Amino acid sequence: MEMVIYSVSIIMLSIWFHWRWKNKRFCNLASKLPGPISYPFIGTASMYTPTYEGTVQKIEQNAVNYDYEPVGTWIGPFFYVSVVKPEDIQIVLNNSKALEKGFLYSLLKSLLGEGLLTAPVDKWRKHRRIISYAFNVKFLEKLYPVFNEKNRILVNDLKSKLTSSEPFDLWNNIISTTFDTICDVAMDYQVTEPQKKFEFLNLLTVVSEELVKDVNKPWLYWDKNFSIYKNMCDLGNNLKAIKELPLQLIKEKKQNYQIKKSTLKPNGNNIEESNLGNKFRTFMDCLLLANESDPDFSDDDVLDEVITMLYAGSDTSGTTECFCLLMLAIHQDIQDEVYDEIYNAVGDSDREFTPDDMAKLVYLDQVLKETLRMFPILPVFTRQLQDDVKLSNYVLPKGTGVTISPMVTHQAPYLYPNPNIFNPDNFSPVNVANRHKYSFIAFSGGPRGCLGMKYAMMAMKLLISEVLRNFSIHTDIKLPDIKVKMSDGFIRKIGGYPITIRIRDKKPSYLRKTISSNCK
């Protein structure tokens, strides 16, 4: 028995020393960086938590404990450095050797394939070039009629809530609107059966929630392990079922694309330089054009980008809109100021919003950014270094996983005084000018930052404006009562977004206050 114990001990020590030698550059850096204690084989035990939000809280705790310096941790055999200061974040996000997304995104590939969010660098560069046309400013301005139409439908749906004084959860109304909008503006497609739409949205939630739980299981980062795991539970079947709606969408759009081509009047030397019929080229048109003209852009590539767009284009905007409306319901003075700005732009008319109107809504822009500061959609993201990267005080070796948390950086008191207070003035021109650019990273940053940032801000401003010019929003919830969870990869409020609405008094707040004062 003693010989067995002795032999096992020798083997374990040999493995340990070999591993230490192989990873000596990481081990040397770990010995210099501040951070919690790490143990052989298991790594930093304090980072293992049963929930994703628990892991983010640990990252935040480490940032505070170590004065916002880079912190080194081991998750099993994987070495991560958590970077919080804007100066270091800028170095990482702008470095051409830090564009790979990292191991954490490998699980998301089972849902999104290798779309823009999860693709390796070479594929990402190519896909971004193909897709970028659909996100340029001139194209986005052509989308206003679609946004206005979808938002009017939302307002009509919300009117049914006026008859009850009981709070209702905004989520279903908002996510239905954002999903319908992204389908129309990006793919010129309408899901006519509500049941199919909500089945898809529910599957998205179920699958992504399962994948978020698996983030804390590093043994699943290997493809073979994950393949076995997903086939042993419902995840495998759900991943197949979730593709049904996107595949149907793509099939119909391919048929329509061929019809468009047959009526094409070329105004250039090739199809790409021409408009498809009389309609501008949508996101889906860009994909189908690439699929037809580039043998390396496969049907799977089209599917991956469509699912990624449906996932990111509806959920992210919808979540921020719900948080923003809830913040305005809690802070009536801020809601009044936003409405006054809308009134100054369009008066009490019901005409459609225009790009010129949106340009005037500067304070609403601040409100949305403050919402994203307090409730960033992605609480944490990672990069995998393809070469050494020098930060302010340390050199991170090739292969290091870098963790960046908007949730943590946005809560740093030296960047945002009183960070737990909702204060849109954090984004006044003066305050923005006095802060480092990378102290706000709700849309990530650098070359691999969010391609849809302008789309998202425009979409959110239009929806919030349409709701506020028709209704005033109210809630009994207080800001300290709000608790969040990391559900399906995004931040969510526990308990939903309960509000009540009333028909909007179209007068600006200063007139309402004057009339109220004269009546006393």
Side-chain angles (χ1 to χ4, degrees):
M1 185 64 182
E2 289 181 2
M3 284 299 296
V4 172
I5 295 173
Y6 178 77
S7 299
V8 170
S9 299
I10 292 295
I11 291 170
M12 294 297 286
L13 281 171
S14 299
I15 293 172
W16 170 241
F17 282 117
H18 174 74
W19 180 88
R20 292 275 302 183
W21 176 82
K22 188 178 178 182
N23 293 276
K24 59 185 176 183
R25 297 190 72 198
F26 299 143
C27 295
N28 289 340
L29 177 60
S31 67
K32 298 173 186 175
L33 287 173
I37 296 172
S38 181
Y39 299 95
F41 299 108
I42 64 171
T44 310
S46 62
M47 292 300 294
Y48 288 92
T49 64
T51 62
Y52 187 35
E53 55 263 36
T55 302
V56 176
Q57 287 167 6
K58 289 289 185 182
I59 294 172
E60 185 171 12
Q61 207 173 67
N62 287 338
V64 173
N65 290 345
Y66 301 106
D67 198 28
Y68 299 96
E69 289 297 319
V71 173
T73 55
W74 291 93
I75 306 297
F78 302 103
F79 182 60
Y80 287 94
V81 175
S82 179
V83 174
V84 178
K85 288 185 176 178
E87 297 81 2
D88 286 336
I89 291 173
Q90 181 177 26
I91 290 170
V92 173
L93 294 184
N94 281 282
N95 196 296
S96 62
K97 301 300 181 182
L99 296 176
E100 287 289 359
K101 286 297 189 82
F103 292 116
L104 294 182
Y105 288 82
S106 61
L107 297 178
L108 263 182
K109 285 185 180 181
S110 63
L111 170 62
L112 304 178
E114 292 188 342
L116 211 58
L117 184 64
T118 52
V121 173
D122 289 345
K123 179 175 278 193
W124 161 76
R125 284 198 177 99
K126 180 177 181 178
H127 285 210
R128 188 180 175 96
R129 283 196 301 271
I130 291 167
I131 293 168
S132 60
Y133 171 88
F135 289 97
N136 69 61
V137 174
K138 289 184 179 179
F139 173 82
L140 292 176
E141 289 181 352
K142 294 178 182 178
L143 302 177
Y144 271 66
V146 180
F147 283 106
N148 285 316
E149 177 196 354
K150 302 302 180 187
N151 293 337
R152 283 197 301 271
I153 293 171
L154 170 64
V155 165
N156 286 333
D157 289 343
L158 289 176
K159 285 178 180 176
S160 66
K161 311 292 185 181
L162 289 166
T163 56
S164 173
S165 59
E166 291 296 314
F168 68 96
D169 185 356
L170 268 170
W171 175 250
N172 283 340
N173 296 92
I174 297 293
I175 191 61
S176 178
T177 301
T178 57
F179 182 81
D180 287 344
T181 303
I182 197 65
C183 282
D184 204 339
V185 300
M187 293 167 242
D188 191 22
Y189 187 81
Q190 291 80 39
V191 181
T192 55
E193 299 177 53
Q195 183 180 351
K196 282 189 175 181
K197 172 172 67 176
F198 284 106
E199 281 177 358
F200 176 79
L201 290 170
N202 289 336
L203 273 173
L204 264 185
T205 300
V206 170
V207 168
S208 44
E209 279 185 349
E210 177 61 37
L211 294 175
V212 165
K213 291 176 186 175
D214 295 339
V215 165
N216 282 21
K217 303 169 184 173
W219 55 90
L220 293 180
Y221 293 0
W222 285 278
D223 290 343
K224 287 184 180 179
N225 289 1
F226 183 73
S227 181
I228 294 169
Y229 166 78
K230 74 179 182 182
N231 290 325
M232 291 175 62
C233 58
D234 289 337
L235 181 59
N237 291 331
N238 287 336
L239 285 167
K240 290 178 183 175
I242 209 168
K243 294 179 180 179
E244 290 179 8
L245 176 62
L247 285 171
Q248 178 62 31
L249 184 159
I250 291 167
K251 180 181 177 183
E252 291 183 26
K253 295 312 297 180
K254 277 192 172 185
Q255 293 170 348
N256 293 341
Y257 178 79
Q258 294 303 321
I259 295 172
K260 281 184 186 180
K261 273 189 57 185
S262 67
T263 60
L264 184 67
K265 295 180 180 179
N267 59 8
N269 296 324
N270 55 48
I271 293 174
E272 188 169 0
E273 294 174 357
S274 306
N275 289 326
L276 293 168
N278 294 319
K279 191 175 175 62
F280 50 83
R281 197 160 71 240
T282 65
F283 166 83
M284 177 60 79
D285 289 330
C286 293
L287 297 182
L288 296 181
L289 177 61
N291 180 239
E292 182 178 66
S293 59
D294 184 348
D296 291 329
F297 197 87
S298 66
D299 288 348
D300 285 340
D301 290 328
V302 175
L303 177 61
D304 293 346
E305 294 298 353
V306 167
I307 295 178
T308 297
M309 179 60 74
L310 293 177
Y311 175 70
S314 60
D315 221 314
T316 53
S317 297
T319 301
T320 301
E321 287 158 355
C322 285
F323 271 119
C324 183
L325 289 168
L326 190 60
M327 291 299 100
L328 293 173
I330 293 171
H331 303 90
Q332 290 291 313
D333 55 333
I334 295 175
Q335 184 179 160
D336 284 344
E337 193 167 346
V338 173
Y339 175 71
D340 289 351
E341 189 176 60
I342 296 169
Y343 181 87
N344 290 335
V346 298
D348 59 3
S349 73
D350 292 324
R351 68 170 176 78
E352 291 191 347
F353 286 111
T354 67
D356 288 341
D357 298 330
M358 290 298 106
K360 296 173 185 176
L361 304 186
V362 177
Y363 189 66
L364 175 54
D365 197 77
Q366 292 178 209
V367 168
L368 280 164
K369 286 178 179 175
E370 177 67 355
T371 303
L372 284 162
R373 180 192 71 80
M374 292 194 76
F375 308 103
I377 297 302
L378 281 174
V380 63
F381 51 89
T382 63
R383 294 288 187 268
Q384 198 74 23
L385 303 188
Q386 303 304 296
D387 206 339
D388 293 0
V389 172
K390 186 181 185 304
L391 302 185
S392 303
N393 299 316
Y394 301 95
V395 175
L396 307 186
K398 177 181 177 180
T400 302
V402 179
T403 300
I404 298 171
S405 174
M407 179 71 83
V408 175
T409 298
H410 292 178
Q411 291 292 315
Y414 78 95
L415 296 172
Y416 299 96
N418 302 311
N420 294 318
I421 293 174
F422 186 79
N423 178 20
D425 286 339
N426 278 323
F427 292 91
S428 68
V430 172
N431 285 329
V432 169
N434 289 332
R435 260 195 328 266
H436 193 286
K437 179 182 177 182
Y438 279 74
S439 51
F440 180 69
I441 48 172
F443 295 100
S444 184
R448 203 153 186 182
C450 178
L451 182 61
M453 179 179 69
K454 290 180 180 178
Y455 166 89
M457 290 300 294
M458 184 195 77
M460 293 188 292
K461 286 177 76 171
L462 281 164
L463 184 143
I464 299 295
S465 300
E466 189 66 43
V467 171
L468 285 188
R469 77 168 170 180
N470 284 277
F471 309 109
S472 61
I473 310 162
H474 308 268
T475 188
D476 292 330
I477 288 176
K478 307 298 181 188
L479 186 56
D481 299 333
I482 293 178
K483 307 297 179 189
V484 299
K485 61 179 179 177
M486 315 308 171
S487 177
D488 61 5
F490 301 132
I491 288 180
R492 305 272 191 231
K493 179 187 168 295
I494 296 173
Y497 310 86
I499 64 163
T500 57
I501 58 173
R502 302 170 195 165
I503 288 292
R504 168 68 66 184
D505 183 342
K506 294 283 187 175
K507 301 180 187 68
S509 64
Y510 59 86
L511 279 182
R512 280 184 271 122
K513 289 171 184 175
T514 301
I515 293 169
S516 175
S517 177
N518 291 338
C519 291
K520 289 182 181 178

